[in-house]
mmCIF file of all heavy atoms in Angstrom:
data_model
loop_
_atom_site.group_PDB
_atom_site.id
_atom_site.type_symbol
_atom_site.label_atom_id
_atom_site.label_comp_id
_atom_site.label_asym_id
_atom_site.label_seq_id
_atom_site.Cartn_x
_atom_site.Cartn_y
_atom_site.Cartn_z
ATOM 1 N N MET D 1 85.808 93.101 125.750
ATOM 2 C CA MET D 1 86.560 93.819 124.724
ATOM 3 C C MET D 1 87.343 92.847 123.878
ATOM 4 O O MET D 1 87.889 91.930 124.373
ATOM 5 C CB MET D 1 87.530 94.841 125.350
ATOM 6 C CG MET D 1 88.276 95.619 124.335
ATOM 7 S SD MET D 1 89.390 96.862 124.996
ATOM 8 C CE MET D 1 88.300 97.962 125.770
ATOM 9 N N VAL D 2 87.327 93.024 122.584
ATOM 10 C CA VAL D 2 88.048 92.197 121.653
ATOM 11 C C VAL D 2 89.247 92.964 121.144
ATOM 12 O O VAL D 2 89.137 94.123 120.679
ATOM 13 C CB VAL D 2 87.142 91.823 120.430
ATOM 14 C CG1 VAL D 2 87.929 91.032 119.435
ATOM 15 C CG2 VAL D 2 85.925 91.054 120.925
ATOM 16 N N ILE D 3 90.432 92.396 121.215
ATOM 17 C CA ILE D 3 91.708 93.034 120.807
ATOM 18 C C ILE D 3 92.308 92.195 119.710
ATOM 19 O O ILE D 3 92.442 90.962 119.844
ATOM 20 C CB ILE D 3 92.658 93.155 121.969
ATOM 21 C CG1 ILE D 3 92.099 94.087 123.040
ATOM 22 C CG2 ILE D 3 94.026 93.759 121.492
ATOM 23 C CD1 ILE D 3 92.886 94.141 124.311
ATOM 24 N N ASP D 4 92.686 92.818 118.617
ATOM 25 C CA ASP D 4 93.276 92.173 117.463
ATOM 26 C C ASP D 4 94.662 92.788 117.205
ATOM 27 O O ASP D 4 94.750 93.997 117.107
ATOM 28 C CB ASP D 4 92.374 92.320 116.226
ATOM 29 C CG ASP D 4 92.936 91.631 114.997
ATOM 30 O OD1 ASP D 4 93.593 90.585 115.175
ATOM 31 O OD2 ASP D 4 92.745 92.149 113.899
ATOM 32 N N ILE D 5 95.686 91.963 117.155
ATOM 33 C CA ILE D 5 97.031 92.406 116.863
ATOM 34 C C ILE D 5 97.411 91.842 115.511
ATOM 35 O O ILE D 5 97.327 90.625 115.263
ATOM 36 C CB ILE D 5 98.040 91.939 117.919
ATOM 37 C CG1 ILE D 5 97.626 92.415 119.302
ATOM 38 C CG2 ILE D 5 99.454 92.404 117.592
ATOM 39 C CD1 ILE D 5 98.317 91.734 120.424
ATOM 40 N N GLU D 6 97.782 92.689 114.564
ATOM 41 C CA GLU D 6 98.027 92.293 113.196
ATOM 42 C C GLU D 6 99.502 92.680 112.808
ATOM 43 O O GLU D 6 99.890 93.795 113.044
ATOM 44 C CB GLU D 6 97.036 93.029 112.317
ATOM 45 C CG GLU D 6 97.096 92.664 110.879
ATOM 46 C CD GLU D 6 96.069 93.434 110.074
ATOM 47 O OE1 GLU D 6 95.021 93.868 110.662
ATOM 48 O OE2 GLU D 6 96.246 93.586 108.863
ATOM 49 N N LEU D 7 100.207 91.739 112.237
ATOM 50 C CA LEU D 7 101.556 91.971 111.762
ATOM 51 C C LEU D 7 101.414 92.166 110.255
ATOM 52 O O LEU D 7 101.037 91.266 109.524
ATOM 53 C CB LEU D 7 102.460 90.833 112.073
ATOM 54 C CG LEU D 7 103.872 90.833 111.460
ATOM 55 C CD1 LEU D 7 104.643 92.008 112.008
ATOM 56 C CD2 LEU D 7 104.602 89.571 111.719
ATOM 57 N N THR D 8 101.717 93.357 109.769
ATOM 58 C CA THR D 8 101.649 93.689 108.337
ATOM 59 C C THR D 8 103.072 93.771 107.787
ATOM 60 O O THR D 8 103.825 94.638 108.195
ATOM 61 C CB THR D 8 100.892 94.973 108.096
ATOM 62 O OG1 THR D 8 101.587 96.044 108.753
ATOM 63 C CG2 THR D 8 99.477 94.924 108.572
ATOM 64 N N LEU D 9 103.436 92.890 106.895
ATOM 65 C CA LEU D 9 104.800 92.830 106.408
ATOM 66 C C LEU D 9 105.047 93.822 105.259
ATOM 67 O O LEU D 9 106.200 93.981 104.903
ATOM 68 C CB LEU D 9 105.119 91.399 105.991
ATOM 69 C CG LEU D 9 105.008 90.328 107.085
ATOM 70 C CD1 LEU D 9 105.277 88.974 106.514
ATOM 71 C CD2 LEU D 9 105.979 90.628 108.223
ATOM 72 N N ASN D 10 104.006 94.403 104.660
ATOM 73 C CA ASN D 10 104.187 95.283 103.540
ATOM 74 C C ASN D 10 103.916 96.755 103.899
ATOM 75 O O ASN D 10 104.125 97.616 103.073
ATOM 76 C CB ASN D 10 103.281 94.893 102.373
ATOM 77 C CG ASN D 10 103.637 93.531 101.839
ATOM 78 O OD1 ASN D 10 102.996 92.565 102.181
ATOM 79 N ND2 ASN D 10 104.633 93.457 101.005
ATOM 80 N N ARG D 11 103.370 97.006 105.069
ATOM 81 C CA ARG D 11 102.979 98.388 105.410
ATOM 82 C C ARG D 11 103.641 98.797 106.728
ATOM 83 O O ARG D 11 103.588 98.015 107.680
ATOM 84 C CB ARG D 11 101.463 98.517 105.513
ATOM 85 C CG ARG D 11 100.754 98.217 104.270
ATOM 86 C CD ARG D 11 99.268 98.325 104.507
ATOM 87 N NE ARG D 11 98.548 97.836 103.301
ATOM 88 C CZ ARG D 11 97.334 97.337 103.344
ATOM 89 N NH1 ARG D 11 96.711 97.247 104.482
ATOM 90 N NH2 ARG D 11 96.780 96.936 102.262
ATOM 91 N N PHE D 12 104.213 99.983 106.744
ATOM 92 C CA PHE D 12 104.819 100.484 107.985
ATOM 93 C C PHE D 12 104.261 101.871 108.230
ATOM 94 O O PHE D 12 103.988 102.624 107.286
ATOM 95 C CB PHE D 12 106.351 100.531 107.829
ATOM 96 C CG PHE D 12 106.948 99.182 107.637
ATOM 97 C CD1 PHE D 12 107.175 98.675 106.379
ATOM 98 C CD2 PHE D 12 107.275 98.401 108.744
ATOM 99 C CE1 PHE D 12 107.715 97.417 106.208
ATOM 100 C CE2 PHE D 12 107.820 97.156 108.573
ATOM 101 C CZ PHE D 12 108.072 96.656 107.305
ATOM 102 N N GLY D 13 104.159 102.209 109.474
ATOM 103 C CA GLY D 13 103.645 103.568 109.801
ATOM 104 C C GLY D 13 103.511 103.760 111.284
ATOM 105 O O GLY D 13 103.868 102.919 112.097
ATOM 106 N N PHE D 14 103.030 104.964 111.633
ATOM 107 C CA PHE D 14 102.857 105.274 113.049
ATOM 108 C C PHE D 14 101.659 106.231 113.136
ATOM 109 O O PHE D 14 101.617 107.269 112.474
ATOM 110 C CB PHE D 14 104.073 105.961 113.641
ATOM 111 C CG PHE D 14 103.939 106.320 115.070
ATOM 112 C CD1 PHE D 14 103.990 105.355 116.046
ATOM 113 C CD2 PHE D 14 103.677 107.608 115.470
ATOM 114 C CE1 PHE D 14 103.832 105.652 117.389
ATOM 115 C CE2 PHE D 14 103.521 107.940 116.818
ATOM 116 C CZ PHE D 14 103.608 106.954 117.741
ATOM 117 N N GLY D 15 100.640 105.882 113.922
ATOM 118 C CA GLY D 15 99.515 106.744 114.093
ATOM 119 C C GLY D 15 98.206 106.011 114.064
ATOM 120 O O GLY D 15 98.100 104.797 113.865
ATOM 121 N N LYS D 16 97.144 106.803 114.271
ATOM 122 C CA LYS D 16 95.804 106.268 114.294
ATOM 123 C C LYS D 16 95.252 106.120 112.883
ATOM 124 O O LYS D 16 95.374 107.081 112.089
ATOM 125 C CB LYS D 16 94.930 107.260 115.119
ATOM 126 C CG LYS D 16 93.615 106.711 115.525
ATOM 127 C CD LYS D 16 92.975 107.664 116.502
ATOM 128 C CE LYS D 16 91.712 107.044 117.056
ATOM 129 N NZ LYS D 16 91.049 107.929 118.032
ATOM 130 N N ILE D 17 94.732 104.976 112.577
ATOM 131 C CA ILE D 17 94.211 104.733 111.217
ATOM 132 C C ILE D 17 92.708 105.108 111.167
ATOM 133 O O ILE D 17 92.283 105.764 110.270
ATOM 134 C CB ILE D 17 94.407 103.263 110.817
ATOM 135 C CG1 ILE D 17 95.902 102.942 110.743
ATOM 136 C CG2 ILE D 17 93.728 102.945 109.487
ATOM 137 C CD1 ILE D 17 96.240 101.527 110.547
ATOM 138 N N ASN D 18 91.961 104.676 112.150
ATOM 139 C CA ASN D 18 90.558 105.066 112.291
ATOM 140 C C ASN D 18 90.178 105.025 113.765
ATOM 141 O O ASN D 18 91.045 104.941 114.604
ATOM 142 C CB ASN D 18 89.628 104.253 111.384
ATOM 143 C CG ASN D 18 89.672 102.758 111.699
ATOM 144 O OD1 ASN D 18 90.007 102.360 112.810
ATOM 145 N ND2 ASN D 18 89.327 101.897 110.756
ATOM 146 N N GLU D 19 88.918 105.025 114.014
ATOM 147 C CA GLU D 19 88.421 105.112 115.424
ATOM 148 C C GLU D 19 88.946 104.001 116.336
ATOM 149 O O GLU D 19 89.246 104.232 117.497
ATOM 150 C CB GLU D 19 86.871 105.055 115.372
ATOM 151 C CG GLU D 19 86.241 105.208 116.732
ATOM 152 C CD GLU D 19 84.726 105.133 116.621
ATOM 153 O OE1 GLU D 19 84.175 105.874 115.779
ATOM 154 O OE2 GLU D 19 84.128 104.331 117.333
ATOM 155 N N ASN D 20 89.104 102.780 115.813
ATOM 156 C CA ASN D 20 89.506 101.691 116.706
ATOM 157 C C ASN D 20 90.768 101.028 116.266
ATOM 158 O O ASN D 20 91.088 99.935 116.749
ATOM 159 C CB ASN D 20 88.333 100.639 116.757
ATOM 160 C CG ASN D 20 88.130 99.976 115.418
ATOM 161 O OD1 ASN D 20 88.435 100.532 114.402
ATOM 162 N ND2 ASN D 20 87.551 98.802 115.472
ATOM 163 N N LYS D 21 91.564 101.611 115.359
ATOM 164 C CA LYS D 21 92.781 100.950 114.852
ATOM 165 C C LYS D 21 93.938 101.940 114.941
ATOM 166 O O LYS D 21 93.829 103.077 114.530
ATOM 167 C CB LYS D 21 92.552 100.495 113.407
ATOM 168 C CG LYS D 21 93.610 99.568 112.930
ATOM 169 C CD LYS D 21 93.318 99.033 111.500
ATOM 170 C CE LYS D 21 92.334 97.898 111.585
ATOM 171 N NZ LYS D 21 92.210 97.141 110.297
ATOM 172 N N PHE D 22 95.077 101.354 115.404
ATOM 173 C CA PHE D 22 96.317 102.151 115.573
ATOM 174 C C PHE D 22 97.441 101.376 115.029
ATOM 175 O O PHE D 22 97.533 100.149 115.207
ATOM 176 C CB PHE D 22 96.552 102.444 117.056
ATOM 177 C CG PHE D 22 97.759 103.245 117.313
ATOM 178 C CD1 PHE D 22 97.728 104.632 117.232
ATOM 179 C CD2 PHE D 22 98.944 102.671 117.711
ATOM 180 C CE1 PHE D 22 98.850 105.387 117.487
ATOM 181 C CE2 PHE D 22 100.097 103.405 117.935
ATOM 182 C CZ PHE D 22 100.062 104.801 117.843
ATOM 183 N N GLN D 23 98.358 101.999 114.296
ATOM 184 C CA GLN D 23 99.511 101.305 113.713
ATOM 185 C C GLN D 23 100.800 101.816 114.352
ATOM 186 O O GLN D 23 101.011 103.015 114.508
ATOM 187 C CB GLN D 23 99.562 101.514 112.202
ATOM 188 C CG GLN D 23 100.775 100.750 111.618
ATOM 189 C CD GLN D 23 100.579 100.358 110.204
ATOM 190 O OE1 GLN D 23 99.458 100.399 109.665
ATOM 191 N NE2 GLN D 23 101.632 99.903 109.540
ATOM 192 N N PHE D 24 101.695 100.843 114.687
ATOM 193 C CA PHE D 24 103.045 101.175 115.218
ATOM 194 C C PHE D 24 104.005 100.303 114.468
ATOM 195 O O PHE D 24 104.021 99.095 114.647
ATOM 196 C CB PHE D 24 103.082 100.906 116.721
ATOM 197 C CG PHE D 24 104.441 101.182 117.301
ATOM 198 C CD1 PHE D 24 104.900 102.462 117.443
ATOM 199 C CD2 PHE D 24 105.303 100.152 117.676
ATOM 200 C CE1 PHE D 24 106.161 102.741 117.967
ATOM 201 C CE2 PHE D 24 106.519 100.385 118.190
ATOM 202 C CZ PHE D 24 106.973 101.708 118.343
ATOM 203 N N LEU D 25 104.802 100.916 113.599
ATOM 204 C CA LEU D 25 105.756 100.239 112.688
ATOM 205 C C LEU D 25 104.988 99.213 111.842
ATOM 206 O O LEU D 25 104.139 99.595 111.063
ATOM 207 C CB LEU D 25 106.897 99.615 113.485
ATOM 208 C CG LEU D 25 107.729 100.592 114.296
ATOM 209 C CD1 LEU D 25 108.802 99.837 115.097
ATOM 210 C CD2 LEU D 25 108.397 101.610 113.410
ATOM 211 N N CYS D 26 105.222 97.927 112.006
ATOM 212 C CA CYS D 26 104.562 96.925 111.198
ATOM 213 C C CYS D 26 103.404 96.248 111.962
ATOM 214 O O CYS D 26 102.826 95.287 111.474
ATOM 215 C CB CYS D 26 105.537 95.856 110.702
ATOM 216 S SG CYS D 26 106.358 95.001 112.038
ATOM 217 N N PHE D 27 103.046 96.773 113.134
ATOM 218 C CA PHE D 27 101.942 96.177 113.921
ATOM 219 C C PHE D 27 100.704 97.076 113.917
ATOM 220 O O PHE D 27 100.806 98.279 114.035
ATOM 221 C CB PHE D 27 102.403 95.985 115.372
ATOM 222 C CG PHE D 27 103.451 94.991 115.566
ATOM 223 C CD1 PHE D 27 104.775 95.350 115.685
ATOM 224 C CD2 PHE D 27 103.147 93.610 115.583
ATOM 225 C CE1 PHE D 27 105.805 94.443 115.859
ATOM 226 C CE2 PHE D 27 104.147 92.666 115.742
ATOM 227 C CZ PHE D 27 105.466 93.097 115.868
ATOM 228 N N ARG D 28 99.554 96.465 113.755
ATOM 229 C CA ARG D 28 98.297 97.200 113.825
ATOM 230 C C ARG D 28 97.530 96.623 115.019
ATOM 231 O O ARG D 28 97.363 95.432 115.117
ATOM 232 C CB ARG D 28 97.477 97.043 112.557
ATOM 233 C CG ARG D 28 98.041 97.846 111.427
ATOM 234 C CD ARG D 28 97.122 97.752 110.252
ATOM 235 N NE ARG D 28 97.664 98.585 109.159
ATOM 236 C CZ ARG D 28 97.038 98.831 108.041
ATOM 237 N NH1 ARG D 28 95.866 98.301 107.846
ATOM 238 N NH2 ARG D 28 97.573 99.576 107.124
ATOM 239 N N PHE D 29 97.062 97.508 115.821
ATOM 240 C CA PHE D 29 96.262 97.126 117.020
ATOM 241 C C PHE D 29 94.839 97.612 116.843
ATOM 242 O O PHE D 29 94.611 98.785 116.572
ATOM 243 C CB PHE D 29 96.875 97.728 118.292
ATOM 244 C CG PHE D 29 98.285 97.329 118.537
ATOM 245 C CD1 PHE D 29 99.327 98.124 118.057
ATOM 246 C CD2 PHE D 29 98.605 96.170 119.201
ATOM 247 C CE1 PHE D 29 100.661 97.764 118.249
ATOM 248 C CE2 PHE D 29 99.928 95.798 119.438
ATOM 249 C CZ PHE D 29 100.972 96.598 118.932
ATOM 250 N N SER D 30 93.878 96.715 117.002
ATOM 251 C CA SER D 30 92.450 97.052 116.885
ATOM 252 C C SER D 30 91.750 96.625 118.167
ATOM 253 O O SER D 30 92.101 95.608 118.761
ATOM 254 C CB SER D 30 91.808 96.393 115.694
ATOM 255 O OG SER D 30 92.519 96.625 114.532
ATOM 256 N N LYS D 31 90.698 97.393 118.527
ATOM 257 C CA LYS D 31 89.906 96.977 119.687
ATOM 258 C C LYS D 31 88.467 97.336 119.411
ATOM 259 O O LYS D 31 88.128 98.321 118.780
ATOM 260 C CB LYS D 31 90.364 97.609 120.969
ATOM 261 C CG LYS D 31 90.304 99.128 120.982
ATOM 262 C CD LYS D 31 90.787 99.691 122.305
ATOM 263 C CE LYS D 31 90.709 101.192 122.325
ATOM 264 N NZ LYS D 31 91.149 101.767 123.548
ATOM 265 N N TRP D 32 87.601 96.432 119.873
ATOM 266 C CA TRP D 32 86.136 96.629 119.729
ATOM 267 C C TRP D 32 85.498 96.370 121.087
ATOM 268 O O TRP D 32 85.845 95.432 121.764
ATOM 269 C CB TRP D 32 85.553 95.632 118.718
ATOM 270 C CG TRP D 32 86.007 95.890 117.334
ATOM 271 C CD1 TRP D 32 85.500 96.750 116.410
ATOM 272 C CD2 TRP D 32 87.115 95.279 116.659
ATOM 273 N NE1 TRP D 32 86.182 96.686 115.243
ATOM 274 C CE2 TRP D 32 87.169 95.807 115.372
ATOM 275 C CE3 TRP D 32 88.042 94.325 117.038
ATOM 276 C CZ2 TRP D 32 88.125 95.404 114.452
ATOM 277 C CZ3 TRP D 32 89.009 93.962 116.137
ATOM 278 C CH2 TRP D 32 89.050 94.461 114.830
ATOM 279 N N LYS D 33 84.533 97.177 121.431
ATOM 280 C CA LYS D 33 83.762 96.997 122.647
ATOM 281 C C LYS D 33 82.530 96.180 122.315
ATOM 282 O O LYS D 33 81.531 96.729 121.881
ATOM 283 C CB LYS D 33 83.437 98.325 123.285
ATOM 284 C CG LYS D 33 84.614 99.084 123.812
ATOM 285 C CD LYS D 33 84.193 100.363 124.481
ATOM 286 C CE LYS D 33 85.452 101.094 124.995
ATOM 287 N NZ LYS D 33 85.152 102.332 125.652
ATOM 288 N N ILE D 34 82.650 94.867 122.474
ATOM 289 C CA ILE D 34 81.510 93.972 122.229
ATOM 290 C C ILE D 34 81.085 93.429 123.608
ATOM 291 O O ILE D 34 81.876 92.800 124.300
ATOM 292 C CB ILE D 34 81.936 92.826 121.301
ATOM 293 C CG1 ILE D 34 82.438 93.389 119.952
ATOM 294 C CG2 ILE D 34 80.795 91.854 121.089
ATOM 295 C CD1 ILE D 34 82.987 92.378 119.004
ATOM 296 N N PRO D 35 79.850 93.659 124.011
ATOM 297 C CA PRO D 35 79.381 93.196 125.327
ATOM 298 C C PRO D 35 79.528 91.676 125.503
ATOM 299 O O PRO D 35 79.193 90.913 124.596
ATOM 300 C CB PRO D 35 77.931 93.611 125.359
ATOM 301 C CG PRO D 35 77.773 94.641 124.290
ATOM 302 C CD PRO D 35 78.787 94.316 123.242
ATOM 303 N N ASN D 36 80.016 91.295 126.652
ATOM 304 C CA ASN D 36 80.146 89.888 127.074
ATOM 305 C C ASN D 36 81.054 89.044 126.181
ATOM 306 O O ASN D 36 80.893 87.847 126.118
ATOM 307 C CB ASN D 36 78.769 89.244 127.129
ATOM 308 C CG ASN D 36 77.877 89.921 128.160
ATOM 309 O OD1 ASN D 36 78.340 90.337 129.230
ATOM 310 N ND2 ASN D 36 76.648 90.149 127.816
ATOM 311 N N LYS D 37 81.941 89.681 125.435
ATOM 312 C CA LYS D 37 82.915 88.918 124.638
ATOM 313 C C LYS D 37 84.315 89.432 124.899
ATOM 314 O O LYS D 37 84.561 90.632 124.880
ATOM 315 C CB LYS D 37 82.594 89.051 123.133
ATOM 316 C CG LYS D 37 83.489 88.232 122.271
ATOM 317 C CD LYS D 37 83.062 88.217 120.834
ATOM 318 C CE LYS D 37 83.998 87.318 120.041
ATOM 319 N NZ LYS D 37 83.668 87.293 118.607
ATOM 320 N N TYR D 38 85.229 88.499 125.155
ATOM 321 C CA TYR D 38 86.584 88.854 125.459
ATOM 322 C C TYR D 38 87.502 87.971 124.609
ATOM 323 O O TYR D 38 87.375 86.727 124.693
ATOM 324 C CB TYR D 38 86.870 88.643 126.929
ATOM 325 C CG TYR D 38 85.974 89.400 127.853
ATOM 326 C CD1 TYR D 38 84.815 88.826 128.348
ATOM 327 C CD2 TYR D 38 86.250 90.746 128.136
ATOM 328 C CE1 TYR D 38 83.946 89.516 129.141
ATOM 329 C CE2 TYR D 38 85.352 91.451 128.930
ATOM 330 C CZ TYR D 38 84.228 90.874 129.412
ATOM 331 O OH TYR D 38 83.356 91.566 130.207
ATOM 332 N N SER D 39 88.357 88.527 123.849
ATOM 333 C CA SER D 39 89.324 87.733 123.092
ATOM 334 C C SER D 39 90.513 88.606 122.677
ATOM 335 O O SER D 39 90.391 89.801 122.549
ATOM 336 C CB SER D 39 88.657 87.073 121.878
ATOM 337 O OG SER D 39 88.500 88.003 120.827
ATOM 338 N N ILE D 40 91.604 87.915 122.455
ATOM 339 C CA ILE D 40 92.803 88.526 121.857
ATOM 340 C C ILE D 40 93.221 87.633 120.695
ATOM 341 O O ILE D 40 93.351 86.417 120.877
ATOM 342 C CB ILE D 40 93.952 88.617 122.893
ATOM 343 C CG1 ILE D 40 93.561 89.513 124.060
ATOM 344 C CG2 ILE D 40 95.234 89.141 122.260
ATOM 345 C CD1 ILE D 40 94.575 89.569 125.177
ATOM 346 N N SER D 41 93.386 88.236 119.548
ATOM 347 C CA SER D 41 93.770 87.440 118.379
ATOM 348 C C SER D 41 94.995 88.060 117.739
ATOM 349 O O SER D 41 95.258 89.225 117.864
ATOM 350 C CB SER D 41 92.645 87.326 117.365
ATOM 351 O OG SER D 41 92.308 88.614 116.897
ATOM 352 N N PHE D 42 95.774 87.227 117.041
ATOM 353 C CA PHE D 42 96.976 87.656 116.331
ATOM 354 C C PHE D 42 96.900 87.214 114.895
ATOM 355 O O PHE D 42 96.537 86.054 114.622
ATOM 356 C CB PHE D 42 98.202 87.054 117.033
ATOM 357 C CG PHE D 42 99.511 87.567 116.447
ATOM 358 C CD1 PHE D 42 99.955 88.839 116.758
ATOM 359 C CD2 PHE D 42 100.259 86.791 115.590
ATOM 360 C CE1 PHE D 42 101.136 89.313 116.235
ATOM 361 C CE2 PHE D 42 101.406 87.272 115.019
ATOM 362 C CZ PHE D 42 101.880 88.533 115.353
ATOM 363 N N GLU D 43 97.263 88.108 113.984
ATOM 364 C CA GLU D 43 97.102 87.839 112.578
ATOM 365 C C GLU D 43 98.379 88.252 111.843
ATOM 366 O O GLU D 43 98.978 89.242 112.198
ATOM 367 C CB GLU D 43 95.923 88.687 112.091
ATOM 368 C CG GLU D 43 95.303 88.308 110.785
ATOM 369 C CD GLU D 43 94.067 89.176 110.527
ATOM 370 O OE1 GLU D 43 93.278 89.376 111.467
ATOM 371 O OE2 GLU D 43 93.924 89.613 109.384
ATOM 372 N N ILE D 44 98.788 87.539 110.806
ATOM 373 C CA ILE D 44 99.911 87.900 109.991
ATOM 374 C C ILE D 44 99.410 88.087 108.556
ATOM 375 O O ILE D 44 98.750 87.200 107.980
ATOM 376 C CB ILE D 44 100.993 86.834 110.013
ATOM 377 C CG1 ILE D 44 101.503 86.636 111.442
ATOM 378 C CG2 ILE D 44 102.189 87.223 109.104
ATOM 379 C CD1 ILE D 44 102.479 85.524 111.625
ATOM 380 N N ASN D 45 99.689 89.275 107.999
ATOM 381 C CA ASN D 45 99.256 89.574 106.619
ATOM 382 C C ASN D 45 100.439 90.021 105.763
ATOM 383 O O ASN D 45 101.305 90.697 106.246
ATOM 384 C CB ASN D 45 98.217 90.695 106.597
ATOM 385 C CG ASN D 45 96.942 90.277 107.213
ATOM 386 O OD1 ASN D 45 96.433 89.210 106.965
ATOM 387 N ND2 ASN D 45 96.356 91.156 108.050
ATOM 388 N N TRP D 46 100.407 89.615 104.507
ATOM 389 C CA TRP D 46 101.410 90.114 103.574
ATOM 390 C C TRP D 46 100.855 90.092 102.202
ATOM 391 O O TRP D 46 99.848 89.418 101.914
ATOM 392 C CB TRP D 46 102.725 89.280 103.650
ATOM 393 C CG TRP D 46 102.588 87.845 103.237
ATOM 394 C CD1 TRP D 46 102.735 87.347 101.978
ATOM 395 C CD2 TRP D 46 102.203 86.747 104.063
ATOM 396 N NE1 TRP D 46 102.504 85.996 101.974
ATOM 397 C CE2 TRP D 46 102.191 85.610 103.267
ATOM 398 C CE3 TRP D 46 101.915 86.604 105.409
ATOM 399 C CZ2 TRP D 46 101.870 84.349 103.728
ATOM 400 C CZ3 TRP D 46 101.614 85.391 105.890
ATOM 401 C CH2 TRP D 46 101.580 84.254 105.084
ATOM 402 N N ARG D 47 101.456 90.798 101.309
ATOM 403 C CA ARG D 47 100.981 90.917 99.920
ATOM 404 C C ARG D 47 102.066 90.332 98.997
ATOM 405 O O ARG D 47 103.235 90.612 99.157
ATOM 406 C CB ARG D 47 100.732 92.367 99.550
ATOM 407 C CG ARG D 47 100.107 92.529 98.199
ATOM 408 C CD ARG D 47 99.830 93.994 97.910
ATOM 409 N NE ARG D 47 98.888 94.481 98.857
ATOM 410 C CZ ARG D 47 98.635 95.770 99.094
ATOM 411 N NH1 ARG D 47 99.334 96.673 98.375
ATOM 412 N NH2 ARG D 47 97.769 96.173 99.974
ATOM 413 N N ARG D 48 101.655 89.543 98.035
ATOM 414 C CA ARG D 48 102.567 88.897 97.149
ATOM 415 C C ARG D 48 102.468 89.563 95.777
ATOM 416 O O ARG D 48 101.392 89.803 95.284
ATOM 417 C CB ARG D 48 102.183 87.438 97.029
ATOM 418 C CG ARG D 48 103.267 86.559 96.569
ATOM 419 C CD ARG D 48 102.811 85.122 96.609
ATOM 420 N NE ARG D 48 101.964 84.856 95.458
ATOM 421 C CZ ARG D 48 101.399 83.744 95.179
ATOM 422 N NH1 ARG D 48 101.456 82.750 96.068
ATOM 423 N NH2 ARG D 48 100.653 83.584 94.113
ATOM 424 N N LYS D 49 103.582 89.843 95.167
ATOM 425 C CA LYS D 49 103.612 90.429 93.785
ATOM 426 C C LYS D 49 103.338 89.279 92.785
ATOM 427 O O LYS D 49 103.886 88.205 92.933
ATOM 428 C CB LYS D 49 104.934 91.057 93.504
ATOM 429 C CG LYS D 49 105.174 92.316 94.289
ATOM 430 C CD LYS D 49 106.476 92.977 93.831
ATOM 431 C CE LYS D 49 106.681 94.228 94.651
ATOM 432 N NZ LYS D 49 107.926 94.916 94.288
ATOM 433 N N GLU D 50 102.486 89.592 91.840
ATOM 434 C CA GLU D 50 102.179 88.561 90.819
ATOM 435 C C GLU D 50 102.713 88.947 89.468
ATOM 436 O O GLU D 50 102.934 90.077 89.180
ATOM 437 C CB GLU D 50 100.656 88.382 90.751
ATOM 438 C CG GLU D 50 100.152 87.879 92.061
ATOM 439 C CD GLU D 50 98.697 87.412 91.963
ATOM 440 O OE1 GLU D 50 98.303 87.009 90.859
ATOM 441 O OE2 GLU D 50 98.013 87.427 92.941
#
């Protein structure tokens, strides 16, 4: 199973976004069932005004 933890500095919320993604405050948690692959990753995203 692959788990992705994402810190979103511009979006806040609570609830399920789609089948494999859930948001809690500024954190988004994603998981994928990929056979024979195991990983945990952390990502930081933000949007800049131009």
Side-chain angles (χ1 to χ4, degrees):
M1 181 179 296
V2 176
I3 297 173
D4 181 34
I5 303 166
E6 183 179 337
L7 173 64
T8 60
L9 299 177
N10 296 99
R11 298 178 189 153
F12 297 92
F14 180 76
K16 195 171 187 179
I17 296 172
N18 61 24
E19 182 180 309
N20 65 336
K21 193 176 278 192
F22 181 83
Q23 180 153 348
F24 179 73
L25 300 176
C26 59
F27 293 99
R28 287 186 177 186
F29 302 92
S30 306
K31 63 179 179 179
W32 293 274
K33 291 183 180 181
I34 301 173
N36 300 319
K37 183 172 182 181
Y38 303 94
S39 77
I40 297 175
S41 62
F42 185 77
E43 197 174 317
I44 299 174
N45 291 318
W46 65 90
R47 186 178 299 165
R48 202 175 79 181
K49 291 184 180 181
E50 297 192 26

